Amino acid sequence: MSDEEVRLRGVGVSPGIGHGAVFIHHPEDEEPPKRRIESSEVPGEIARFEAALIATRAQILEMQQRIAEAIGAKDASIFDAHLLVVEDHTLIDEVLRTLQRDLWNVEYVFSEVANRYAKTLSEIDDPYLRERAFDIYDVTKRIVRNLMGRTTRSLSQLDSPHIIVAHNLTPSDAAALNRQLVIGIATDIGSKTSHTAIMARSLNIPAVVGLKDASTRLKSGDNVLLDGTNGLVIVNPADEALSEYGELEVRLEKVEELLTEIRDTACITADGTQVILSANIELPEDVELVKEAGAMGVGLYRTEFFFLNKTELPNEEEQFQAYQAVAEAVQPNSVIIRTLDLGGDKFLSHSHIPMEINPFLGCRAIRFCLERPDIFKAQLRAILRASAGGNVRMMYPMISGISELRQANEVLENCRTELRAEGIAFDEEMETGIMIEVPSAVMVADALAREVDFFSIGTNDLIQYTIAVDRVNERIAHLYQPTHPAIVRLLEMTVMAAHAHGIWTGVCGEMAGEVALTPLLIGLGIDELSASPGLVPRVKKAVQSLEAKQCRQLIEDVRNVTSGNEILAKCEAMARTRYPELLSFGAGPE
Ligand code: PEP
Ligand code: MG
């Protein structure tokens, strides 16, 4: 790219402005190239393979040393198993035999043989061999990278502030980001409700996704200005753009100042309806942001992020410590701990979850937990123990019907019985709720409401499953419509079923943080809104500026409207008359 200013348009998923140098992040799992070789090339390929093994061994030793110095020899010892892979003669001999027999380039032969070897091990019902399979996958990637002459500039090696540009970032990549060193995120693919975008919002890192080819057009070191509010990346920004954005930043700061002033005020509409306003967190340390935002506790704690990027599953005790720390930090408010929602777009880095063709419709969330009672029970026991302080609530994700709820409750009851027998304290009255995020759950919400203490609507998934639109696929993002009349009706049905049975309903999906939609949610009678901490002050301002009575009238006005865009326009019109400063951040300069 020349020094000319170039503007790349995408979708802004985390507001704010970042300006700095690009760091291109290459995904680690790129396919190795496949190329025929002549017999005469075999010795050269073997020499390359030996050099890559030696380089890999040296890198593992160096990494082991670094980790031993930073966090101790015990954690560093996990790399011993990686070293064994580099020296595994069965594997190496098979690679050499296949290379001579099939005459393909060595990176291709090696990755085929190693992946087959790992797959065989992973299918044996033995935890030790399964772990060895994950080691082989990890080391294979490293050896292939060395064969391809790629240096790994992993995100964790960043040592100065950069804007990360990647084809895609996984939620595990995002969870590992250091917010001090990442001043912006730009990806080719992605959408507003992907867990990577959610993570970026949580970390308050401006982000733009859906940039199509930014990761190949840009290179490390390029100077870019990233506007996460308007979904724009300006490469080599000219003076005019820089001063325009300088002014915008001043305007944004003014709005932030105004929002800081209302931080400790109540979240109540202008005509006196109280809305509980809480915050979503992904990691235990995010709880600091909840207090700073002026939220009433945590409405959704996505516990699975604690499980990502770990070499081993956190045990009951580690989980207990984390949950208890969050519960203590939000006292006297409460924390709603959501049980594991693995699967979909969130996988353990050394996943035990088999690959699925439709992961969002597969063994995700409560389905995975019911399949793995060992993992589920450890978490439920940890949550129960943390509830001893009295301000912990718990909810299950992705409940699709009554039998799933009952099965989950049965495991919970077993855990209670065990803890009582062991004389371990917990809150016998701990409230248990469910997320409403599968359309079938809405249709039977009256039955579900009889057996739970609250509902929390996960609009991110409810929209995805209702409109059949993959929440992370940018090609169909235009169909992902929170104001689709079907969604408005499902929300209303949920609230009505809950209220008829005397329980409350919250919304903890991304819709709760979209101030243009606050009139709709208040009009529907939602009792609690839980949004990313960075968005909480805006939502509070929006609630305070609205009248519940007029919001209810809005619902009547859109009852027979069949177009989602028209419903959105009506919501925006109401929001614009009450809090225009929260909606028009505007530059969006062309
Ligand atoms: C949702 O689906 O709206 C939700 C809050 O859960 P998650 O985004 O983690 O799937
Ligand atoms: Mg969900």
Side-chain angles (χ1 to χ4, degrees):
M1 213 175 254
S2 69
D3 290 349
E4 291 276 293
E5 177 178 295
V6 177
R7 296 180 173 220
L8 310 177
R9 282 225 161 258
V11 181
V13 296
S14 179
I17 297 159
H19 181 203
V22 163
F23 176 98
I24 302 280
H25 171 65
H26 286 294
E28 296 204 347
D29 51 1
E30 258 174 48
E31 292 281 309
K34 181 178 179 184
R35 178 175 62 82
R36 273 264 171 242
I37 57 164
E38 302 289 332
S39 314
S40 59
E41 290 177 78
V42 169
E45 291 296 276
I46 294 178
R48 286 207 304 124
F49 184 44
E50 282 170 354
L53 290 177
I54 292 169
T56 306
R57 188 165 195 282
Q59 286 164 358
I60 296 172
L61 284 170
E62 192 213 303
M63 202 156 55
Q64 190 169 36
Q65 175 79 18
R66 230 176 334 113
I67 290 187
E69 280 161 19
I71 49 178
K74 181 169 169 289
D75 290 290
S77 68
I78 57 163
F79 290 106
D80 289 344
H82 287 200
L83 286 170
L84 288 179
V85 177
V86 187
E87 289 155 11
D88 187 329
H89 280 288
T90 320
L91 176 64
I92 294 172
D93 289 348
E94 164 115 33
V95 172
L96 298 181
R97 265 200 312 277
T98 316
L99 182 72
Q100 278 153 349
R101 188 189 62 217
D102 295 352
L103 297 180
W104 293 107
N105 57 314
V106 71
E107 41 276 79
Y108 175 73
V109 170
F110 172 68
S111 92
E112 287 289 295
V113 172
N115 287 333
R116 203 169 50 232
Y117 193 64
K119 188 163 180 287
T120 311
L121 290 181
S122 72
E123 284 164 359
I124 300 173
D125 193 16
D126 176 314
Y128 171 77
L129 292 179
R130 277 207 302 260
E131 282 306 320
R132 292 270 298 142
F134 293 120
D135 294 332
I136 294 173
Y137 283 129
D138 253 22
V139 179
T140 302
K141 281 188 205 155
R142 188 173 284 281
I143 295 174
V144 169
R145 269 197 313 266
N146 282 324
L147 277 167
M148 291 163 72
R150 277 216 187 109
T151 47
T152 346
R153 296 192 63 203
S154 107
L155 289 174
S156 55
Q157 287 170 351
L158 273 186
D159 52 9
S160 61
H162 277 84
I163 292 187
I164 306 293
V165 180
H167 179 64
N168 186 24
L169 276 186
T170 63
S172 335
D173 289 333
L177 293 179
N178 175 337
R179 64 189 92 183
Q180 261 71 49
L181 297 178
V182 179
I183 48 179
I185 296 174
T187 61
D188 296 346
I189 63 172
S191 71
K192 214 169 189 155
T193 54
S194 70
H195 283 97
T196 305
I198 290 171
M199 199 67 205
R201 275 196 291 281
S202 246
L203 295 167
N204 274 333
I205 300 175
V208 180
V209 303
L211 287 156
K212 299 192 175 69
D213 53 2
S215 73
T216 44
R217 289 180 72 177
L218 296 173
K219 58 181 187 328
S220 287
D222 278 350
N223 170 23
V224 303
L225 199 152
L226 181 144
D227 171 357
T229 312
N230 296 297
L232 193 63
V233 170
I234 308 179
V235 192
N236 302 320
D239 291 347
E240 204 183 322
L242 289 174
S243 77
E244 206 173 338
Y245 271 92
E247 282 166 27
L248 177 61
E249 254 177 312
V250 173
R251 287 216 316 273
L252 285 173
E253 271 165 29
K254 283 216 180 95
V255 172
E256 289 304 325
E257 270 168 37
L258 287 175
L259 294 175
T260 314
E261 283 168 19
I262 61 160
R263 201 189 86 143
D264 297 320
T265 58
C267 186
I268 204 161
T269 62
D271 56 350
T273 298
Q274 188 177 7
V275 179
I276 307 290
L277 179 57
S278 32
N280 297 348
I281 63 168
E282 278 75 49
L283 294 170
E285 56 266 33
D286 293 344
V287 75
E288 285 308 312
L289 304 174
V290 177
K291 286 193 276 182
E292 270 169 41
M296 283 185 75
V298 173
L300 166 64
Y301 173 8
R302 291 182 164 99
T303 53
E304 57 279 359
F305 281 83
F306 191 57
F307 284 62
L308 306 180
N309 299 322
K310 291 251 191 298
T311 47
E312 277 169 32
L313 292 176
N315 61 27
E316 178 187 320
E317 184 59 28
E318 283 169 294
Q319 292 186 61
F320 163 66
Q321 305 274 354
Y323 304 154
Q324 191 189 39
V326 172
E328 276 173 6
V330 297
Q331 284 274 20
N333 294 315
S334 68
V335 49
I336 302 181
I337 303 180
R338 175 176 76 182
T339 59
L340 271 182
D341 182 8
L342 287 169
D345 63 348
K346 286 169 292 195
F347 299 104
L348 301 174
S349 41
H350 66 313
S351 170
H352 291 202
I353 307 171
M355 294 297 278
E356 295 176 300
I357 291 177
N358 268 323
F360 272 117
L361 299 180
C363 190
R364 179 188 168 192
I366 195 68
R367 301 167 182 186
F368 170 76
C369 286
L370 292 174
E371 191 188 81
R372 291 294 305 265
D374 53 331
I375 296 177
F376 194 31
K377 274 184 77 181
Q379 177 168 47
L380 293 177
R381 283 176 57 103
I383 296 173
L384 281 166
R385 286 170 59 195
S387 76
N391 66 333
V392 171
R393 293 164 163 158
M394 186 193 82
M395 64 181 173
Y396 307 121
M398 243 191 113
I399 291 289
S400 63
I402 203 85
S403 64
E404 243 166 359
L405 169 63
R406 288 186 182 154
Q407 280 177 62
N409 273 340
E410 210 177 293
V411 184
L412 180 67
E413 203 41 58
N414 288 342
C415 293
R416 287 196 178 111
T417 310
E418 277 177 19
L419 291 177
R420 275 185 214 114
E422 292 164 32
I424 298 175
F426 63 92
D427 177 9
E428 294 273 358
E429 306 296 317
M430 180 181 75
E431 283 186 26
T432 307
I434 54 170
M435 292 196 66
I436 298 286
E437 45 187 358
V438 182
S440 57
V442 180
M443 307 315 281
V444 296
D446 53 340
L448 293 166
R450 289 194 196 100
E451 303 191 19
V452 296
D453 298 309
F454 63 91
F455 287 157
S456 184
I457 308 176
T459 47
N460 304 338
D461 280 313
L462 186 61
I463 298 168
Q464 134 162 295
Y465 295 132
T466 304
I467 312 181
V469 51
D470 180 346
R471 64 191 265 188
V472 297
N473 184 340
E474 76 285 356
R475 285 171 66 189
I476 46 169
H478 57 284
L479 296 173
Y480 192 96
Q481 207 176 30
T483 52
H484 190 300
I487 301 299
V488 179
R489 287 182 200 179
L490 290 171
L491 294 175
E492 188 169 38
M493 284 169 72
T494 308
V495 178
M496 283 172 61
H499 289 178
H501 291 88
I503 64 169
W504 60 268
T505 293
V507 168
C508 63
E510 298 314 292
M511 228 174 141
E514 294 215 15
V515 289
L517 304 180
T518 314
L520 183 86
L521 298 178
I522 293 188
L524 287 169
I526 297 289
D527 305 287
E528 181 231 28
L529 295 172
S530 191
S532 182
L535 301 176
V536 161
R538 276 154 226 259
V539 178
K540 186 181 281 185
K541 176 77 184 149
V543 171
Q544 292 178 342
S545 313
L546 290 162
E547 283 172 20
K549 188 160 171 260
Q550 280 169 345
C551 296
R552 284 195 290 272
Q553 185 55 47
L554 172 76
I555 299 300
E556 293 313 316
D557 294 346
V558 301
R559 193 167 295 289
N560 296 316
V561 176
T562 48
S563 146
N565 283 337
E566 227 177 283
I567 299 178
L568 175 62
K570 284 187 188 295
C571 293
E572 283 176 341
M574 180 176 275
R576 208 169 305 115
T577 60
R578 308 301 151 104
Y579 38 88
E581 73 285 6
L582 297 185
L583 298 170
S584 57
F585 283 113
E590 268 313 317

